[in-house]
Amino acid sequence: MDATSFPHVIPPEMPQYGQANHIFQLMQSMLEQLLIHQPQDPIPFMIQHLHLDSDDVPKIVILGPPASGKTTIGWVLDGLPESREQVLMMQTLGLAPRHVIVLNAPDMVLIERNLGKRIDPQTGEIYHTTFDWPPEPETQNRLVIPEGISELETARKLLEYHRNVIRILPSYPGILKAISADQPCVDIFYQALTYVQTHHRSNAPFTPRVLLCGPLGSGKSLQAALLAQKYGLVNVCCGQLLKEAVADKSKHGEVIRPFFEKHMAVPDSIIMKILTQRLDRQDSVQRGWVLHGFPRDLDQAQMLDSLGYSPNRVFFLNVPLDSVMERLTLRRTDPVTGERYHLMHKPPPTLEIQERLLQNPRDSEERVKLKMDLFYRNAAELEQFYGQAVTVNGDQDPYTVFEYIESGIINPLPKKVP
């Protein structure tokens, strides 16, 4: 931040850095620990907290009734907390799990499963008459029935569990995962592992940097305009920026003009100079932006990312070729009034107007098919590069499409767990 200027100007790199390094979550965690422990000297305490509080350390709680299959694997609290009071005690001590798994199964299944337990008095190993019977006759002969697993005792423990768990679960909103325990152990394990490795949603504030990808005719311009209007984002159309540079006769515009006149593609290096100038302006940094028309391939996406302009919301508008052909090849323009029509959705009001309508050469069937083929040739690499991109069905009412995109912007993105 420039301390010599007023009002203070936030560097464009600041929001990206804060989001990429989870600064909000870090500050939130430090504040929680300060409120819990209230140290006399907060600075050394916070330094120690920064060293200890790492996302690399798993903090998992597994809850479940008796015989539901809870096991202790690594840093896992098995069966704790057992009551609301224990939850509050853990929270007072600053013991906050990042994942809570609750195993559920019908009571009759759990009672039957519990009745089959056997224990080896010499080794302490637990076996089961149905699921895990030892192959050695010597081990089989010395197995005994453990105490406290009768049908009546198991039913009593289940009743106590059900009374307590309904008061425990509300303490872990947003991090709770219920898994059926009435299935093979391997399936339960992999469901739990998948959940632990899944992303948690982050509530950190962010400045929207939205990228809309899709073939021509997919509605990117309309969706960008709707987003800009509702959320105050800067509408950045790459093609429009190039046209404005030429119209303004700027230094970059004079370089672009020959490419326009010869209907040639403008080099990426020139496009990036125009684009970065717009994205660096203060309104883009403060309000956020919605970009469309760029990048069109993997090289352009990597170039955009390397310069620090990576989007935090990416949407692919998926529209089939037939729908695009219908949208574009039936467009016409009245050369007299400049009014635009569509032969199916907005036909001209009179025969006289219809007879003088013209089609833009870029809307010809051959040109449209060529551009569609070019887009989908690069789309797979773009989707892979933007791993958290959301694919939206663009072949529906524009305002329905907007609702899908809007929900993807309002909802926070998941935070990656190593």
Side-chain angles (χ1 to χ4, degrees):
M1 187 172 295
D2 186 359
T4 63
S5 63
F6 188 84
H8 295 312
V9 177
I10 301 174
E13 300 83 8
M14 193 65 164
Q16 291 93 320
Y17 178 85
Q19 183 176 352
N21 293 277
H22 310 298
I23 299 300
F24 175 85
Q25 293 92 329
L26 178 63
M27 298 301 296
Q28 185 180 46
S29 174
M30 291 176 64
L31 180 59
E32 288 174 353
Q33 295 301 314
L34 285 173
L35 291 175
I36 291 171
H37 297 283
Q38 299 181 10
Q40 292 184 349
D41 196 345
I43 301 301
F45 175 84
M46 287 190 290
I47 293 174
Q48 182 184 18
H49 172 68
L50 288 175
H51 287 293
L52 295 178
D53 189 44
S54 170
D55 285 341
D56 295 331
V57 179
K59 298 179 180 178
I60 306 165
V61 164
I62 297 183
L63 304 174
S68 60
K70 305 184 299 294
T71 56
T72 303
I73 306 173
W75 197 109
V76 177
L77 283 179
D78 171 16
L80 284 175
E82 294 182 338
S83 65
R84 172 68 176 166
E85 290 70 27
Q86 290 182 358
V87 172
L88 296 175
M89 185 179 298
M90 289 173 61
Q91 292 176 343
T92 302
L93 296 173
L95 300 175
R98 290 195 175 93
H99 302 85
V100 177
I101 297 170
V102 56
L103 302 177
N104 297 319
D107 285 357
M108 289 307 300
V109 172
L110 297 172
I111 291 173
E112 292 177 6
R113 187 183 292 177
N114 218 26
L115 292 175
K117 284 184 178 179
R118 298 293 184 269
I119 189 169
D120 186 337
Q122 291 187 10
T123 65
E125 288 287 329
I126 297 177
Y127 296 93
H128 197 277
T129 56
T130 302
F131 306 112
D132 186 22
W133 193 244
E136 304 86 2
E138 182 182 352
T139 305
Q140 295 175 8
N141 293 333
R142 67 171 181 256
L143 294 183
V144 297
I145 299 175
E147 296 181 358
I149 67 166
S150 69
E151 184 173 348
L152 183 62
E153 289 174 305
T154 303
R156 181 185 58 78
K157 292 178 182 179
L158 285 171
L159 180 60
E160 183 180 358
Y161 168 79
H162 291 312
R163 286 174 176 168
N164 286 321
V165 77
I166 59 174
R167 301 177 63 231
I168 294 174
L169 301 186
S171 301
Y172 300 114
I175 61 171
L176 187 67
K177 173 68 174 180
I179 297 176
S180 171
D182 190 15
Q183 54 182 326
C185 296
V186 173
D187 294 342
I188 298 173
F189 171 74
Y190 280 109
Q191 289 181 41
L193 181 64
T194 300
Y195 169 63
V196 171
Q197 293 178 334
T198 315
H199 307 159
H200 274 330
R201 291 194 172 275
S202 166
N203 293 315
F206 77 106
T207 303
R209 301 187 301 276
V210 184
L211 173 62
L212 300 180
C213 295
L216 73 165
S218 58
K220 299 187 298 295
S221 298
L222 175 58
Q223 298 303 324
L226 293 174
L227 290 173
Q229 181 181 19
K230 183 164 184 176
Y231 293 100
L233 307 181
V234 176
N235 189 347
V236 183
C237 174
C238 189
Q240 187 62 32
L241 287 179
L242 299 179
K243 292 177 183 178
E244 291 175 358
V246 173
D248 293 342
K249 298 181 179 179
S250 65
K251 180 178 69 173
H252 293 309
E254 294 303 313
V255 176
I256 297 170
R257 185 185 301 276
F259 294 96
F260 273 21
E261 293 173 348
K262 297 177 183 178
H263 302 286
M264 296 173 60
V266 180
D268 291 348
S269 58
I270 300 176
I271 295 177
M272 285 305 303
K273 289 179 181 178
I274 300 293
L275 188 58
T276 54
Q277 282 183 351
R278 186 65 190 90
L279 297 179
D280 281 344
R281 281 163 59 174
Q282 199 61 26
D283 58 347
S284 298
V285 174
Q286 291 181 337
R287 290 159 44 193
W289 41 261
V290 50
L291 171 64
H292 51 110
F294 190 94
R296 297 179 183 271
D297 56 43
L298 180 60
D299 289 340
Q300 292 180 347
Q302 291 174 337
M303 185 183 301
L304 191 68
D305 183 71
S306 66
L307 295 175
Y309 302 97
S310 54
N312 51 27
R313 298 291 189 275
V314 181
F315 300 92
F316 281 85
L317 303 182
N318 191 14
V319 182
L321 175 61
D322 292 345
S323 297
V324 172
M325 297 295 289
E326 179 185 295
R327 292 182 183 185
L328 301 185
T329 61
L330 299 181
R331 294 193 301 193
R332 299 292 186 271
T333 304
D334 186 342
V336 176
T337 64
E339 184 73 17
R340 296 182 178 181
Y341 296 96
H342 192 279
L343 299 183
M344 181 177 293
H345 304 299
K346 186 186 174 183
T350 67
L351 183 60
E352 178 186 358
I353 296 176
Q354 181 174 343
E355 290 177 347
R356 68 177 185 238
L357 294 182
L358 298 176
Q359 182 187 46
N360 191 311
R362 69 182 181 185
D363 291 340
S364 66
E365 186 172 334
E366 295 77 13
R367 293 280 292 275
V368 172
K369 284 184 178 179
L370 181 64
K371 290 185 177 180
M372 284 285 289
D373 180 65
L374 181 62
F375 171 78
Y376 283 112
R377 199 182 303 163
N378 296 310
E381 290 184 332
L382 280 176
E383 289 181 10
Q384 186 176 6
F385 183 78
Y386 295 115
Q388 291 182 325
V390 177
T391 300
V392 179
N393 177 15
D395 192 19
Q396 50 188 334
D397 179 77
Y399 293 96
T400 303
V401 176
F402 177 71
E403 288 177 3
Y404 279 108
I405 295 176
E406 185 180 29
S407 66
I409 293 176
I410 294 174
N411 294 328
L413 270 182
K415 173 189 172 185
K416 270 196 172 179
V417 177

